[in-house]
């Protein structure tokens, strides 16, 4: 394991704190992505070698071809009456080389698949990730049910610790793609599969749904925040806490508006009467960096526009528009901003 952990930073690109989330299949920041990247590099090199050989043979044939005058030189048909053993041998050698090349690629693929399945999983973090149209629901599992919690569109994982992600779909086929940490894995309704990964460098990595799942397929991102274990543990402990009680009159009016309007029919806020699970859990909404599955920054202006008319920003989402007076919208935003 240490050999990989040392090698991976050489493949990576240095990033400054606060940089945009990285989504680059050519640079591995986890051991699983490193195995996949090594297979890609080997396949690219072998295919480039084959292409160069074919191009060289083509140019050699053009160079050796006799120069004739098409108008005055009759066609040479003598090759039809005698076998061309030299050409036949060349073709057989080419077929044999192609067969060997394909077998080598097959063996490389098999060895990579075995390597992906052999990552040590001691003390693994277990996450259940469910794809929806068009957002991600993450449930952090724990043997103690009281320590489990839900979040949406963001994953936080500790650096250097294996993570087992159980994949499900609530509606149509989705595909999870985390190029810097792993490859692609389908999420098929009615079936459950798993993906094992480990982030070896801290940073923010961008995932994506890589299977066309509807109108907003391209606007279904998943941010993965890899952080030191102590920082992750502190974040997880905050996620287990119920929402704080509003301290101001505006926040209290916003909470009451949330519970009495249509919001509580779809969303959960732990510590309140809102316990629905049709939409994302909003208990710690203000602690997330984006809304609408990575489409918009999580600030008051974008959140107000999203609440008022989500269809104008992301046509096809299941969230309905919420018509509020300006004062009511202000109170609701004030309350939502306390959910950290």
């Amino acid at each position: 394991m240490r050999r990989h952990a040392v090698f991976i930073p050489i493949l990576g690109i240095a990033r400054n704190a606060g940089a945009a989330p990285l989504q680059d299949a050519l640079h591995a920041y986890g051991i699983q992505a490193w195995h996949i990247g090594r297979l890609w590099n080997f396949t690219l090199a072998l295919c480039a070698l084959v292409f160069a050989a074919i191009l060289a043979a083509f140019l050699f044939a053009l160079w050796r071809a006799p120069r004739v005058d098409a108008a005055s030189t009759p066609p040479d048909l003598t090759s039809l009456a005698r076998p061309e053993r030299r050409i036949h041998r060349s073709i057989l050698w080419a077929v044999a080389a192609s067969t060997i090349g394909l077998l080598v690629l097959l063996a490389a693929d098999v060895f990579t698949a075995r390597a992906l399945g052999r990552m040590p999983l001691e003390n693994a973090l277990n996450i259940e990730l469910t794809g929806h149209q068009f957002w991600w629901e993450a449930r952090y599992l724990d043997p103690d049910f009281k320590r489990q919690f839900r979040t949406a569109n963001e994953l936080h994982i500790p650096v250097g610790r294996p993570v087992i992600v159980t994949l499900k779909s609530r509606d149509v086929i989705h595909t999870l793609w985390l190029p810097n940490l792993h490859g692609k894995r389908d999420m098929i309704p009615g079936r459950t599969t798993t993906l094992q990964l480990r982030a070896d460098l801290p940073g923010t990595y961008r995932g994506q749904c890589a299977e066309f799942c509807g109108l907003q397929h391209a606007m279904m991102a998943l941010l993965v925040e890899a952080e030191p274990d102590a920082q992750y543990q502190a974040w997880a402990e905050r996620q287990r806490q119920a929402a704080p009680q509003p301290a101001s009159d505006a926040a209290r009016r916003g909470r009451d508006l949330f519970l009495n309007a249509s919001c509580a029919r779809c969303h959960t806020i732990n510590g309140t009467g809102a316990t629905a699970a049709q939409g994302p859990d909003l208990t710690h909404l203000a602690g997330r960096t984006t809304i609408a599955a990575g489409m918009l920054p999580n600030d008051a202006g974008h959140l107000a526009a999203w609440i008022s008319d989500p269809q104008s920003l992301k046509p096809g989402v299941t969230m309905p528009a919420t018509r509020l007076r300006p004062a009511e919208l202000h109170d609701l935003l004030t309350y939502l901003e306390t959910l950290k």
Side-chain angles (χ1 to χ4, degrees):
M1 289 193 302
R2 289 186 177 180
R3 174 171 57 89
H4 300 318
V6 172
F7 188 70
I8 288 171
I10 300 176
L11 297 177
I13 300 175
R15 292 174 294 144
N16 297 323
L22 189 63
Q23 185 177 12
D24 187 351
L26 299 181
H27 295 88
Y29 286 87
I31 183 61
Q32 305 294 68
W34 181 79
H35 286 304
I36 295 173
R38 185 174 61 170
L39 175 62
W40 157 256
N41 291 331
F42 177 75
T43 303
L44 178 63
L46 184 58
C47 291
L49 181 62
V50 172
F51 176 76
I54 294 174
L55 183 61
F58 173 72
L59 295 176
F60 179 75
L62 289 179
W63 178 68
R64 288 290 304 273
R67 303 297 187 267
V68 298
D69 185 355
S72 60
T73 305
D76 182 7
L77 303 178
T78 57
S79 61
L80 299 178
R82 69 177 187 272
E84 296 183 291
R85 294 184 177 86
R86 182 177 176 183
I87 295 178
H88 290 169
R89 286 195 298 269
S90 299
I91 293 175
L92 290 175
W93 278 111
V95 170
S98 299
T99 302
I100 293 173
L102 291 175
L103 291 175
V104 169
L105 287 179
L106 176 61
D109 186 81
V110 170
F111 284 125
T112 299
R114 293 180 64 184
L116 292 176
R118 289 180 173 178
M119 185 180 73
L121 298 177
E122 292 82 5
N123 193 33
L125 173 66
N126 285 273
I127 303 174
E128 181 183 277
L129 187 68
T130 303
H132 300 259
Q133 290 179 307
F134 303 93
W135 60 282
W136 305 94
E137 176 187 4
R139 183 186 298 274
Y140 282 70
L141 306 179
D142 192 278
D144 183 357
F145 183 79
K146 295 180 179 180
R147 292 179 57 82
Q148 296 186 13
F149 61 88
R150 289 196 308 152
T151 184
N153 302 318
E154 289 186 8
L155 294 181
H156 285 242
I157 60 175
V159 172
R161 181 178 173 185
V163 180
I164 302 175
V165 186
T166 302
L167 302 176
K168 298 181 177 181
S169 174
R170 183 66 60 85
D171 34 51
V172 299
I173 297 176
H174 301 279
T175 295
L176 176 63
W177 184 37
L178 299 171
N180 295 102
L181 301 176
H182 207 290
K184 299 178 182 179
R185 192 62 56 88
D186 288 340
M187 308 166 72
I188 301 175
R191 299 186 182 182
T192 300
T193 186
T194 60
L195 181 147
Q196 302 166 2
L197 59 89
R198 189 185 74 209
D200 292 317
L201 286 175
T204 303
Y205 308 104
R206 187 181 188 275
Q208 178 70 42
C209 178
E211 177 78 26
F212 182 74
C213 58
L215 186 60
Q216 291 299 324
H217 154 72
M219 299 298 178
M220 188 173 169
L222 176 70
L223 297 182
V224 179
E225 184 73 34
E227 51 201 5
D229 185 69
Q231 188 175 339
Y232 162 76
Q233 294 295 345
W235 173 85
E237 196 57 39
R238 290 194 300 271
Q239 300 302 303
R240 297 186 181 101
Q241 304 302 315
Q245 294 299 318
S248 67
D249 291 339
R252 281 190 287 269
R253 290 193 299 268
R255 178 198 58 190
D256 296 340
L257 180 63
F258 183 96
L259 296 176
N260 295 322
S262 59
C263 310
R265 300 175 190 172
C266 296
H267 299 283
T268 291
I269 296 181
N270 292 330
T272 72
T275 57
Q278 298 300 315
D281 188 312
L282 303 183
T283 305
H284 300 284
L285 170 66
R288 300 169 192 163
T289 57
T290 66
I291 58 175
M295 182 180 179
L296 301 170
N298 188 6
D299 55 43
H302 287 95
L303 189 56
W306 178 253
I307 294 171
S308 300
D309 191 4
Q311 295 294 329
S312 66
L313 299 173
K314 198 170 183 178
V317 297
T318 57
M319 179 173 171
T322 304
R323 304 302 180 187
L324 299 172
R325 294 190 296 271
E328 292 176 327
L329 182 58
H330 175 268
D331 291 343
L332 180 58
L333 292 173
T334 300
Y335 173 61
L336 294 178
E337 288 174 353
T338 69
L339 303 179
K340 297 182 179 180

